[in-house]
Structures are given as structure tokens and as C-alpha cells.
């Protein structure tokens, strides 16, 4: 019985930490608020020669596409006073790969939610006396991942460009992500500055979530000890 609850605690902690990361990624990646802020900060409207509302509409389509809620990126809009489709063929091919990543991620997220609820239910309904193993798993997991995150951030900060290239080489098996800012609009609306900002934000959200998890687990352990006395 002890081994069952130990294993369940570990699985629960892994699921919760992974879900925290997924949420940290999706908040900016699927949030119009973040794109608006970046467009203002990077003077994107002038860079692509588009009216704000036109670019916002393209962005809303792009977000829905990444979420798997739309199947077509042939978006007709106005650029430089002329009507045209926003994305080129190579940009659409790259966005197809991006969509695949997010859709797979959403499937994995749903599986993690089910596993999290199942393992949590085990402690709630059958193992309240073993709940300390759950809190301990949360505490150790959050601390270990936080240290790993700090190390990763330090390595990325040393050479952002190299880390950016490695990321794309890991997750994409082609070179469609290598775009030309002189002709491709996508790389102009999400330039280096955009990816630096989203990386910082995701890391901050994730670190905050880990901190909350560690603090909650610590308080839970203290309360559990008091109840046992």
C-alpha cells in the first residue's frame, strides 16, 4: 500500500508540474493581450505596414489555427494599402508544424489532467493518512524542477541565438522556420524580441507556479504533522 501511494504521489507531482508549464506556455501563446503588447513594443504595425485592427484579426486567426480550431491560414488582409494573403507558402508550412506541436501538446495536457485527477482522487478517497507522500512529492518535485529551470535559464542567457536554433532543430525536422524578414511577414510580427519576451514570461509563470506548489506543499506537510500529533 505504501508503494502505491508513493508512486501515485510521484505521478501526481509530475502531472501537476507539467500542467503548470503547459499553462505558462499557453497564457502568452494564445493570449491576444501578449501579442498587442509586443506589437506596440516592437513597432510591428509600422514594420509590416498594417493597420492595428487588420493585424489583430490576422493574429486571432493564427491563434485559433495553433489551437487546432481553424484549418486554413489563407487569410486575406490589407498590407501596405494592398489586399493580399498574409502568409506565404513557406510560412504556412511552418505554421502547420507549429500547429502539430500545439495540438499534440493539448492532447498530452488532457491526459495529464486525467492522471492528475485519478491520483489525487486516490489520496482523497482512500489514502488521507498517506497524504504526506503527496505533499512531499510536490515539494521535492517543485524544488528539483526549479533548480533545473534556473540552470537552463543561465545556459540560455549565455547564448540566446544558439539556444533558439537548438530549440527549432529539436522540434522541427525541416528548415521552414528559417524565414527572410525582407519578404516573410511572420518573422516580422514574431521577431527575436518577441521570442525573448515570451521565453521570459513563460519562465516567470512557470517559476511562480513552482513556488506556489512548493509553498502549498510545505504548508500541507506542516498541517499534516500537527494533525498527527
Amino acid at each position: 500500500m505504501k508503494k502505491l501511494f508513493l508512486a501515485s504521489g510521484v505521478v501526481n507531482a509530475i502531472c501537476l508540474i507539467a500542467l503548470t508549464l503547459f499553462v505558462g506556455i499557453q497564457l502568452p501563446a494564445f493570449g491576444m493581450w501578449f501579442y498587442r503588447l509586443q506589437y506596440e513594443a516592437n513597432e510591428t504595425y509600422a514594420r509590416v505596414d498594417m493597420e492595428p485592427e487588420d493585424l489583430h484579426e490576422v493574429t486571432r486567426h493564427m491563434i485559433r489555427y495553433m489551437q487546432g480550431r481553424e484549418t486554413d491560414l489563407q487569410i486575406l488582409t490589407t498590407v501596405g494599402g494592398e489586399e493580399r494573403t498574409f502568409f506565404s507558402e513557406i510560412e504556412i508550412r511552418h505554421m502547420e508544424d507549429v500547429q502539430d506541436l500545439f495540438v499534440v501538446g493539448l492532447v498530452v495536457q488532457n491526459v495529464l489532467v486525467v492522471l492528475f485527477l485519478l491520483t489525487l482522487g486516490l489520496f482523497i478517497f482512500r489514502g488521507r493518512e498517506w497524504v504526506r507522500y503527496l505533499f512531499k512529492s510536490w515539494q521535492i518535485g517543485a524544488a528539483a524542477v526549479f533548480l533545473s529551470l534556473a540552470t537552463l535559464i543561465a545556459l540560455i542567457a549565455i547564448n540566446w541565438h544558439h539556444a533558439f536554433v537548438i530549440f527549432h532543430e529539436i522540434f522541427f525536422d525541416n528548415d521552414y522556420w528559417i524565414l527572410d524578414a525582407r519578404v516573410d511577414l511572420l518573422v516580422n510580427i514574431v521577431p527575436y524580441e518577441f521570442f525573448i519576451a515570451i521565453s521570459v514570461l513563460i519562465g516567470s509563470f512557470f517559476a511562480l507556479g513552482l513556488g506556489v506548489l512548493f509553498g502549498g506543499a510545505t504548508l500541507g506537510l506542516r498541517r499534516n504533522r500537527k494533525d498527527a500529533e
Side-chain angles (χ1 to χ4, degrees):
M1 186 63 73
K2 179 179 178 180
K3 290 181 179 179
L4 172 63
F5 284 103
L6 279 171
S8 296
V10 171
V11 171
N12 187 273
I14 291 173
C15 291
L16 187 53
I17 290 169
L19 288 170
T20 302
L21 176 59
F22 275 110
V23 171
I25 292 172
Q26 292 168 15
L27 281 173
F30 296 158
M32 270 302 300
W33 61 272
F34 179 71
Y35 290 88
R36 288 172 183 266
L37 287 174
Q38 288 303 301
Y39 292 163
E40 292 287 349
N42 300 325
E43 300 182 344
T44 304
Y45 306 114
R47 183 181 296 185
V48 296
D49 196 10
M50 292 180 67
E51 293 297 322
E53 189 49 47
D54 289 332
L55 183 53
H56 296 167
E57 184 61 23
V58 169
T59 307
R60 283 189 281 268
H61 281 288
M62 184 176 70
I63 291 172
R64 290 195 292 268
Y65 182 82
M66 289 190 295
Q67 293 172 318
R69 296 163 55 200
E70 289 192 8
T71 59
D72 186 12
L73 269 184
Q74 294 289 349
I75 304 168
L76 194 63
T77 189
T78 302
V79 179
E82 297 182 1
E83 196 172 67
R84 54 159 284 184
T85 54
F86 186 87
F87 294 103
S88 66
E89 186 62 32
I90 190 171
E91 289 171 309
I92 290 176
R93 290 185 179 183
H94 176 55
M95 288 305 298
E96 287 173 352
D97 294 335
V98 173
Q99 183 194 57
D100 289 342
L101 282 178
F102 275 112
V103 169
V104 169
L106 289 169
V107 171
V108 172
Q109 176 180 279
N110 291 336
V111 172
L112 290 171
V113 168
V114 172
L115 285 174
F116 170 75
L117 292 175
L118 286 174
T119 50
L120 183 63
L122 181 65
F123 283 96
I124 292 174
F125 297 110
R126 298 293 301 275
R128 292 183 180 179
E129 67 273 19
W130 303 94
V131 75
R132 65 183 180 279
Y133 293 120
L134 178 64
F135 291 141
K136 198 65 180 176
S137 296
W138 289 358
Q139 189 182 55
I140 294 173
V145 174
F146 184 85
L147 291 174
S148 299
L149 178 64
T151 303
L152 180 62
I153 290 173
L155 292 174
I156 291 175
I158 292 173
N159 192 333
W160 160 256
H161 176 75
H162 186 58
F164 182 80
V165 172
I166 289 177
F167 170 85
H168 282 79
E169 288 178 343
I170 290 173
F171 289 101
F172 302 106
D173 60 0
N174 54 58
D175 60 359
Y176 295 143
W177 60 274
I178 302 176
L179 302 173
D180 187 343
R182 294 170 297 181
V183 295
D184 298 312
L185 293 178
L186 178 60
V187 73
N188 282 285
I189 66 172
V190 289
Y192 260 16
E193 295 85 355
F194 176 94
F195 285 103
I196 291 173
I198 199 171
S199 298
V200 170
L201 198 56
I202 290 170
S204 299
F205 279 142
F206 191 35
L208 177 62
L210 292 172
V212 170
L213 180 58
F214 182 86
T218 301
L219 291 174
L221 282 170
R222 289 177 181 173
R223 182 172 179 179
N224 184 259
R225 291 194 191 99
K226 289 181 179 178
D227 291 344
E229 292 175 355

